[in-house]
């Protein structure tokens, strides 16, 4: 195709100026030999009911997380650690997205609306043939959960004695419960939710177990008005005695970066006590099981292909016991914070971090005749071991967490 003539590309980013996500993206833009991006603060977008971009500005939408004022404007709560209020947050976030005017977008508003609704996202993935855990709440025809009684009924109806209960609009494991039902009516939930002395729910950095059904029911009943998504709890593969899953970043249709996360609990998020696993060992486990590493990454690319007008997503991949099969747990709009991690061999992002890979892909798209076309898909297979990684926290959670003394009831 012919290269489009005109001035040098310029970038803008909607984000929280103090956040390292914005700083890392700005560094990548400058490293490409361009002026740093114009930063449009989320707080200003929300207060001013929108923002305008020039027709030739390449616009990245970044996370609104980790800013108390922005969280208050979106969620309407003064305590940022509260779990409740995700439906109001979602309504405010999606409404704000539609007040952004002009520019060449790296993120599609409709895609983001689906990515931040686990029920809709699961339904889109399932309809596209992407392997996902079974769910009775998936898609527009899924069951609606009004409280714990509905969860219990769906567990029985769908024969799911082990399942995850997730806030439909949550992130960073906020409000997620891994529920197990046993004989004799026994029930247990593993979660980071802290029940405060006044009964309110807070995010905590401590993973705990509740074994009183009244406590579990109270959490679910409090979160149900915000919308809940249920998924079958699939037994995951393990590395060195710890359950494992992967975060795979897909840029312009290609799986470019990956980390493996391991934990002794069902929640592998690193901010909840999970740890980095050996990516090369994961690849070897896949190949020892008779599967192809390229096919594992291909599952992530198929998931990303469901959102063709969004340049980058982070896919949470759940390898099944034995490492022969893998399922997509979630697709994250802001799953690219993997500082200093360079690209996979054969990905086209060798030597680039996730932000540099996106800037490179955006500039390539900008040079095409029609920069609004979806980014190109994968063009060659993946091979070889994964790159070494750096022990930096892989992503900052959207939701703040309590770090003080837990006050949960755990009887």
């Amino acid at each position: 195709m012919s290269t489009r003539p005109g001035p040098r590309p310029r970038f803008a980013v909607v984000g929280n100026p103090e956040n390292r996500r914005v700083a890392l993206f700005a560094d990548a833009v400058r490293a490409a030999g361009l002026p740093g991006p114009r930063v449009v603060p989320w707080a200003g977008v929300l207060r001013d009911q929108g923002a305008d971009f020039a027709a030739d500005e390449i616009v990245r939408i970044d996370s609104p997380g980790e800013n108390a004022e922005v969280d208050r404007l979106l969620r309407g709560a003064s305590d940022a650690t509260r779990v409740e209020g995700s439906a109001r947050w979602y309504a405010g976030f999606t409404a704000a997205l539609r007040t952004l005017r002009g520019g060449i977008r790296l993120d599609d508003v409709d895609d983001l609306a689906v990515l931040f609704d686990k029920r809709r996202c699961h339904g889109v993935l399932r309809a596209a043939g992407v392997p996902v855990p079974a769910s009775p709440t998936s898609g527009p025809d899924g069951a609606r959960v009004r409280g714990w009684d509905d969860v219990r009924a769906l567990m029985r109806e769908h024969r799911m004695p082990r399942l995850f209960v997730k806030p439909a609009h949550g992130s960073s494991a906020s409000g997620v419960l891994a529920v197990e039902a046993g004989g004799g009516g026994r029930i247990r939930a593993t979660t980071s939710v802290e029940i405060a002395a006044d009964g309110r729910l807070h995010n905590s950095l401590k993973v705990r177990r509740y074994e009183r059904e009244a406590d579990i029911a109270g959490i679910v009943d409090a979160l149900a008005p915000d919308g809940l998504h249920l998924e079958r709890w699939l037994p995951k593969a393990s590395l060195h005695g710890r359950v494992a899953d992967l975060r795979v970043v897909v840029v312009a249709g290609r799986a470019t970066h990956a980390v493996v996360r391991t934990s002794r609990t069902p929640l592998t998020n690193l901010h909840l006590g999970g740890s980095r696993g050996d990516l090369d060992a994961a690849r070897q486990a896949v190949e020892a099981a008779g599967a192809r590493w390229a096919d594992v990454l291909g599952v992530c690319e198929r998931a990303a292909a469901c959102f063709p007008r969004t340049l980058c997503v982070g896919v949470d991949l759940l390898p099944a016991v034995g490492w022969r099969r893998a399922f997509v747990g979630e697709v994250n709009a802001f799953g690219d914070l993997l500082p200093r991690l360079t690209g996979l061999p054969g990905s086209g992002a060798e030597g680039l971090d996730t932000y540099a890979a996106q800037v490179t892909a955006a500039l390539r798209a900008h040079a095409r005749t029609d920069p609004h076309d979806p980014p190109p898909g994968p063009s060659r297979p993946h091979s070889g071991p994964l790159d070494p990684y750096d022990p930096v926290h892989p992503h900052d959670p959207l939701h703040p967490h309590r770090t003080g003394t837990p006050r949960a009831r755990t009887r």
Side-chain angles (χ1 to χ4, degrees):
M1 291 185 180
S2 61
T3 301
R4 186 178 65 175
R8 295 169 64 192
R10 52 179 176 152
F11 283 85
V13 56
V14 182
N16 295 325
E18 75 284 358
N19 195 284
R20 64 174 175 164
R21 292 176 178 270
V22 171
L24 289 167
F25 180 70
D27 288 345
V29 172
R30 285 189 287 266
L34 298 171
R38 179 168 71 99
V39 178
V40 178
W42 269 116
V45 170
L46 294 168
R47 286 195 305 264
D48 301 337
Q49 299 184 341
D52 294 286
F53 300 91
D56 63 342
E57 274 188 301
I58 303 173
V59 182
R60 169 185 171 87
I61 298 172
D62 216 325
S63 168
E66 293 198 312
N67 181 290
E69 180 184 7
V70 171
D71 191 74
R72 179 182 58 79
L73 290 169
L74 289 175
R75 191 180 297 270
S78 57
D79 188 340
T81 69
R82 287 286 299 277
V83 182
E84 305 97 312
S86 60
R88 177 169 175 171
W89 181 96
Y90 176 79
F93 175 63
T94 53
L97 290 173
R98 300 188 186 283
T99 67
L100 304 176
R101 299 171 290 270
I104 301 167
R105 305 298 182 84
L106 300 183
D107 315 84
D108 181 74
V109 170
D110 292 330
D111 282 356
L112 292 176
V114 174
L115 289 167
F116 274 97
D117 187 325
K118 298 183 194 304
R119 300 162 300 189
R120 294 177 64 190
C121 185
H122 190 285
V124 167
L125 295 171
R126 185 183 61 183
V130 176
V132 290
S135 169
T137 56
S138 177
D141 298 324
R144 291 295 177 260
V145 178
R146 295 159 296 183
W148 177 244
D149 289 344
D150 286 346
V151 173
R152 273 297 215 178
L154 290 168
M155 290 173 69
R156 290 190 297 269
E157 179 182 350
H158 294 271
R159 298 181 180 180
M160 293 194 303
R162 301 171 81 240
L163 79 164
F164 282 91
V165 180
K166 303 179 178 182
H169 310 298
S171 63
S172 310
S174 173
V176 172
L177 296 93
V179 177
E180 305 169 81
R186 291 180 293 115
I187 195 81
R188 179 171 68 185
T190 303
T191 181
S192 64
V193 173
E194 173 188 336
I195 305 175
D198 60 3
R200 295 181 178 182
L201 307 182
H202 295 268
N203 286 302
S204 169
L205 291 175
K206 176 182 174 59
V207 175
R208 66 202 74 221
R209 285 178 172 173
Y210 295 96
E211 297 185 351
R212 288 203 328 158
E213 186 164 0
D215 290 335
I216 300 169
I219 295 172
V220 172
D221 288 345
L223 296 180
D226 286 321
L228 292 173
H229 177 58
L230 311 184
E231 288 183 355
R232 186 179 299 277
W233 178 348
L234 300 176
K236 289 194 289 190
S238 63
L239 280 177
H240 309 300
R242 296 165 64 90
V243 296
D245 61 20
L246 294 98
R247 165 65 59 83
V248 179
V249 175
V250 181
V251 178
R254 300 294 307 278
T256 58
H257 299 75
V259 293
V260 62
R261 308 177 299 187
T262 71
S263 177
R264 297 194 184 281
T265 79
L267 306 178
T268 58
N269 303 69
L270 299 198
H271 67 281
L272 297 179
S275 62
R276 291 279 185 94
D278 186 336
L279 288 167
D280 192 53
R283 179 188 63 83
Q284 292 173 5
V286 168
E287 293 173 350
R292 297 175 66 243
W293 183 247
D295 293 339
V296 170
L297 298 179
V299 172
C300 301
E301 293 174 347
R302 288 166 56 195
C306 294
F307 307 97
R309 293 191 176 274
T310 293
L311 180 70
C312 175
V313 295
V315 180
D316 289 343
L317 193 70
L318 316 177
V321 171
W323 291 95
R324 286 186 58 84
R325 303 171 63 204
F327 299 81
V328 172
E330 296 189 13
V331 182
N332 304 274
F334 306 129
D336 55 358
L337 185 59
L338 300 166
R340 296 188 291 280
L341 180 72
T342 54
L344 305 174
S347 69
E350 297 89 342
L352 304 177
D353 69 10
T354 60
Y355 297 96
Q358 291 173 71
V359 170
T360 299
L363 292 175
R364 186 185 310 124
H366 183 268
R368 291 176 4 208
T369 301
D370 183 357
H372 295 282
D373 284 346
S379 58
R380 58 186 182 278
H382 299 272
S383 62
L386 299 176
D387 280 0
Y389 50 84
D390 145 326
V392 176
H393 192 291
H395 68 287
D396 53 339
L398 271 174
H399 299 281
H401 292 70
R402 284 192 170 190
T403 57
T405 304
R407 292 179 289 165
R409 300 189 298 272
T410 56
R411 296 189 299 273

